[in-house]
Amino acid sequence: MKLLRYGAPGAERPGLLDADGTIRDLSGIVSDIDGAALSPDSLTRLAALDPATLPAVDGSPRIGSAIARPGKFLCVGLNYADHARETGKEPPAEPVLFSKATTALCGPYDDVEIPRGSDRTDWEIELGIVIGTRAKYVSEADALDHVAGYALVNDVSERRFQSERGGQWVKGKSHDTFGPVGPWMVTKDEIADVQDIDLWLDVDGERRQTGNTKTMIFGVAHLVHYISQFMTLEPGDIIATGTPPGVGLGMKPPTFLKEGQIVTLGAAGLGEQKQRMVQA
């Protein structure tokens, strides 16, 4: 299934994308696409529905973040060896973890703000893991049992805030709109091999990133296992798993986003996003 949220910011409704590309309203079945809707029992009930019996959504409504109100929006840094090297760092021996504020969440086609005082706003296409069941001290062998599905994430970043303003990376990762998620969450049964997903990102129509999840240093199952050793993962939590090479910071010379530029990105099975850069 492809589950999504549509409608004005703050008033999104739950939906399902049917095989013909029509959005079907789920508000009579679940209140939102959140932790409660992502439990195995809930997903089983949703999968048993005949989409043709659900109300079709007219027009082309705004698409919101695929997941509502995640308790945690976690990220993994430097998880592709070639990306680590382009930023001047060695590939890590263990996953590098940081967080984005959940207020950074936005829809996949929403405008993205360049923060006040920013001159290094950058792009990062990533595979997002969405947790479906509580995970605490889970084994790597059982880790995927705790995953509801996957979504496309643009881990928008302000590099000066991230690296030169002291403290942790969260400062450069958490501005409003720095977390486009969607257009949908695809349930894990629709992904044949999560470690073989093509990723791409363009800026103003020019290819900047091309990658595949097969080149991750730490795979999806390991990440869920690893993170669960340090904190409990709850249904609806999002984990952005790192970006392949091609970010602006790694270009020669480094190149960053400007007002009016358009970023488009996509991943096999996860859909596409498109954002226009605007000044905060």
Side-chain angles (χ1 to χ4, degrees):
M1 291 181 294
K2 295 180 175 68
L3 302 176
L4 53 79
R5 302 170 65 248
Y6 69 95
E12 293 93 345
R13 297 165 67 93
L16 178 153
L17 192 72
D18 71 15
D20 297 323
T22 299
I23 298 174
R24 299 284 179 167
D25 182 70
L26 284 174
S27 57
I29 312 296
V30 294
S31 61
D32 211 336
I33 305 301
D34 56 11
L38 297 173
S39 71
D41 287 347
S42 175
L43 291 179
T44 297
R45 288 195 299 271
L46 293 176
L49 296 171
D50 178 358
T53 66
L54 300 169
V57 176
D58 294 330
S60 300
R62 170 189 172 270
I63 303 299
S65 166
I67 306 299
R69 300 174 299 280
K72 293 186 281 296
F73 193 168
L74 301 171
C75 303
V76 181
L78 308 176
N79 197 28
Y80 291 73
D82 33 14
H83 168 62
R85 293 191 182 98
E86 75 174 346
T87 64
K89 298 179 175 64
E90 287 300 311
E94 294 189 39
V96 174
L97 303 181
F98 61 94
S99 64
K100 292 177 87 80
T102 56
T103 48
L105 278 173
C106 69
Y109 313 116
D110 291 347
D111 291 345
V112 166
E113 293 184 354
I114 296 175
R116 295 177 184 179
S118 166
D119 60 2
R120 296 187 185 179
T121 297
D122 205 348
W123 57 84
E124 291 191 9
I125 183 172
E126 309 203 4
L127 169 73
I129 305 167
V130 182
I131 298 298
T133 60
R134 188 174 186 268
K136 180 176 182 178
Y137 293 125
V138 302
S139 69
E140 186 165 342
D142 294 335
L144 295 185
D145 294 340
H146 297 268
V147 173
Y150 305 99
L152 185 62
V153 176
N154 187 359
D155 177 18
V156 186
S157 308
E158 212 296 333
R159 302 302 188 188
R160 191 183 300 279
F161 296 0
Q162 177 182 351
S163 300
E164 298 180 16
R165 297 295 297 272
Q168 300 177 344
W169 289 1
V170 65
K171 289 181 182 177
K173 298 286 189 171
S174 293
H175 184 77
D176 291 353
T177 72
F178 269 25
V181 174
W184 53 69
M185 185 207 80
V186 61
T187 50
K188 63 184 176 183
D189 59 288
E190 291 200 13
I191 300 296
D193 183 357
V194 72
Q195 298 304 156
D196 188 13
I197 296 176
D198 290 326
L199 308 167
W200 60 268
L201 181 145
D202 294 348
V203 177
D204 287 341
E206 295 186 7
R207 185 59 44 93
R208 291 287 184 256
Q209 290 185 273
T210 302
N212 186 287
T213 57
K214 69 176 64 173
T215 65
M216 283 181 177
I217 299 171
F218 306 105
V220 168
H222 183 77
L223 291 174
V224 173
H225 151 72
Y226 181 87
I227 295 170
S228 79
Q229 310 306 302
F230 300 95
M231 65 193 80
T232 299
L233 295 168
E234 297 284 0
D237 286 351
I238 300 169
I239 305 168
T241 58
T243 196
V247 300
L249 179 64
M251 297 178 69
K252 300 188 184 306
T255 302
F256 301 107
L257 292 166
K258 302 291 190 294
E259 184 176 9
Q261 288 191 294
I262 302 294
V263 175
T264 52
L265 55 149
L270 302 181
E272 298 184 8
Q273 298 186 1
K274 182 176 182 179
Q275 294 113 29
R276 178 172 63 101
M277 300 298 115
V278 300
Q279 193 63 47

